[in-house]
Amino acid sequence: MLNPTLHTRSLSSSFSSLCLNSWQWQPLSAPKAKSHSLAPGTSAGGKKAQRRSGGIRCSSEAADEAQVSLLTKTKIPTKLKAVVTVNLTIGGMFSHIGMTRGLDDFADLMGRSLYLELLSKELDPKTGSEKKPVGAYAHKTSHDSKEAKYEGEFPIPQDFGGIGAILVTNEHHKEIHLKDIVLTTGDDDASSFTIDCQSWVHSKFDNHEKRIFFTSKSYLPSDTPAGLKNYRDKELKALRGNGTGERKPFERIYDYDVYNDLGDPDIHTDNARPVIGGSKQFPYPRRCRTGRPKTKTDPKMEKRAGNFYIPRDEAFSEIKQAQFSAKTLRSVMHAVVPSINSALVDRNRSFPYFTAIDSLFDEGINLGNQGDSAGGVFSTVIPRLIKAVSEADDFLLRFEIPEMMERDKFSWFRDEEFSRQTLAGINPFSIQLLTEFPIVSKLDPKIYGPAKSDITKEIIEREIRGYMTVEQALKEKKLFILDFHDLYLPYVNKVRTIENTTLYGSRTIFFLNPDDTLRPIAIELTRPKSPTKPHWRQVFTNSWDATGTWLWRLAKAHVGAHDSGYHQLVSHWLRTHCCAEPYIIAANRQLSALHPIYRLLFPHFRYTMEINALARESLINAGGIIEGGFSPGKYSVELSSVAYAQLWRFDMEALPADLIRRGMAVEDPTAEHGLRLTIKDYPYAADGLLIWSTIKQWVTDYVTQYYQSSAQVIEDPELQAWWAEIRNVGHGDKKDEPWWPVLNSTDSLIGILTTIIWTVTGHHAAANFGQYHYAGYFPNRPTIARVNLPVEEGEAADRMTEFMIRPEIELLKCFPSQMQASVIMAVLDILSSHSPDEEYLGVGPEAAYEAEPAVQAAFERFSGRLKEIEGIIDARNLDVGLKNRCGAGIVPYELLKPFSDAGVTGKGIPTSISI
């Protein structure tokens, strides 16, 4: 069997390893070979940029001078020194104890724990095969609390040629985290170059195959040095695996599977969930295959027990800081959530008054004595949420006041804020232009009732006070809609079987005021017929009387829950996390570590598979956070599958195409970015287009550096295999759709890459990092509606009586319960937070591009433009004419500002989906 771990993919910033020439050993008569230099960089948070393969640590000019000096002094180099740096994991030397630790210490003492082999990039002219590797053991020379150093010496043959890669054999009994390998001649530091590894290396006792780390020169497949071609091919074949067996934690195999591990029918029938993906009923993107055994109850379902496998280098949380977001989120799932459940006991208890909601921020929830273990987690990992009550082991869950509540406590109650958030909140992805009237459903009227909406021409014209006719409003693009009718209606009766949960299909109509603000004018809520109840629906509008006003507020609360569910399941999870995983898997299976496109994409894929595995483990699973706190309940992922079937198209994930599809923009060659916005003051779109165009320019500059013609794109077998696998396997349930872009030109490649990078950067940032700002005070964005409207046909008469006496209580009953709200708020706080070592778009080791002046210059322009965008967004947020982002008590729109400090800031675009 081929080595499943033979490749160079370290979790590193690929931007830092572009186009480096391999280090060359040659006699004086040979022409001088260029050697270029890259310096490892630092992120905004101070974190060392992760690199997947080697980089020379001096300037290209310095490298040339070093080689001239080297050849002049020594004529023919014969000895090469290697210094290997190993990162020490949390807990000590190699974070393990027992008999094998003693054996490893002895191996270190004897100098036989790491074996290195240099590979030439040239073939042997006599045999036509790869030259024999030059090998040596590296012995441990020192270590401190963070790193261990190993050194070894190699005798270099005169005709060895350029060094193209290094093989590493780890003879410890446990994996190690290899930071880098520095090669020098004797003590001449000027001749050194560094191969940055930043990767886990398995023990040979787990897998006898060797790991390979290439130098940093990028090659298209056709340009690969002859001595490296077989290694390039073997690496990719090993990464694909053979599709069988259960994956082991140390492996690095990338493969596909359906979402068949969200439920566990062996525990109880209530935990059964359908297989999502691989069928016409529930199409879905693929996830990473784990190969775990199937359940006894359902042979299609995979057991959840054991390891939620991800390829080893997709997870770095063990060596990152303790505040790493994924690790913090895991702590909330496994420590805080159970503590909340224990403290509150009654999962269905409502908040009795609005002041009780305020107490979450003032007094908090006493979680009681947590013991040493949980207390340590609380005080060190999540101090923002958990405060020690005293020197005892009692802890208090007290939430920080969200930005929106801090600025204007009552803004959530107002119609103008309800409307504003469709353009500048955390789900600005759903609002669309109303282009046809009357509104007609596409669902079967025999099952779901009359297709024609009850929102009539008369209602709209009455609500806009005769300002214009409906026909005029449509023509002048004044009417907009949030339409959750057809997606939700088939699930209404299913969801209503869940205790303390309800659902409607909904439509909300908005009118565009002359100052570019929106006003909600009508909400339609629909219940389809069931075996026990007839079809029912009602249109609600704001009113001057008390009863009508409170019913309008209740209707808005239901729409808020619909929007929250759609945001979390579709705009956020599906369109970013879920759809990106096949891009990552395909890139690792089909694009070599040497491929320039892999090196462009790699920083944007870092940590995503880890956070997605955590989502399957605790967020979207049966009985998980999403099912327990959002309106679709146990049907949540199923509903996102329906949205994928009906709505998702790769070509429409490009921001300009998405805006045009929703009627929020039209093409206009004379306008900035080639688009004219339907609502000029649409903060998400206005700022998003700045980020989109900047990403596209960077991608254009990068791609054209390596592909001078469309023929090169067409003839690149790795690139074509990558794109074909995304379409045919990763998103295989939609492989026959006609809208897939054809990868046949540099323009099509630029478009595909820009769409992918936008999805995992700008789109994800806009959907994620404002969640606590806007939903931390849950009356603004309730995640679930728990009771039907009191005016719904068939409701008990006393419901309306109670509503007339104390309407506020009816609203509180509709909101999430105390337990649901507390759990969701804790999770949203973490999801909205940047870790101290966050890596932001455009922040990286600029010195890493010195080897390719054109690429270096392009990245500097990219980074500089993002800094300019910071200033542009700041100026927009101070412009009183832009009322959707500037006004009394309004939270400024900063979600697409590129950079941020650590914590819950409501701004910052990370380079990848890392939370």
Side-chain angles (χ1 to χ4, degrees), residues 314-433:
E314 298 297 335
F316 267 72
S317 55
E318 189 176 350
I319 62 164
K320 286 172 69 73
Q321 296 185 28
Q323 293 90 345
F324 177 46
S325 299
K327 186 171 184 177
T328 307
L329 182 57
R330 185 172 278 108
S331 299
V332 170
M333 302 301 180
H334 295 293
V336 179
V337 171
S339 299
I340 293 172
N341 294 341
S342 298
L344 297 178
V345 183
D346 183 359
R347 65 171 288 103
N348 295 319
R349 185 181 180 186
S350 302
F351 287 90
Y353 311 100
F354 275 93
T355 52
I357 299 175
D358 295 343
S359 72
L360 293 172
F361 309 100
D362 302 329
E363 301 168 18
I365 302 169
N366 194 325
L367 302 179
N369 189 312
Q370 296 298 320
D372 293 339
S373 177
V377 172
F378 287 172
S379 60
T380 59
V381 178
I382 41 180
R384 174 181 154 88
L385 289 177
I386 308 294
K387 284 82 177 174
V389 176
S390 65
E391 293 182 2
D393 290 325
D394 284 3
F395 285 87
L396 192 70
L397 173 65
R398 188 171 64 225
F399 294 96
E400 297 290 325
I401 299 175
E403 180 77 6
M404 180 185 167
M405 187 183 178
E406 184 79 58
R407 286 173 175 264
D408 185 348
K409 183 177 179 179
F410 301 106
S411 61
W412 70 277
F413 225 46
R414 296 196 301 269
D415 283 0
E416 55 266 34
E417 181 64 16
F418 176 77
S419 297
R420 189 189 74 84
Q421 289 181 30
T422 66
L423 302 172
I426 55 175
N427 189 34
F429 314 98
S430 297
I431 189 78
Q432 55 187 314
L433 181 69

Side-chain angles (χ1 to χ4, degrees), residues 675-705:
L675 289 182
R676 177 165 44 84
L677 295 179
T678 308
I679 301 175
K680 181 182 178 182
D681 185 14
Y682 182 3
Y684 162 72
D687 294 358
L689 286 170
L690 289 173
I691 302 297
W692 166 273
S693 61
T694 303
I695 293 171
K696 185 175 182 180
Q697 186 59 59
W698 155 240
V699 171
T700 300
D701 292 343
Y702 186 96
V703 166
T704 53
Q705 181 65 24

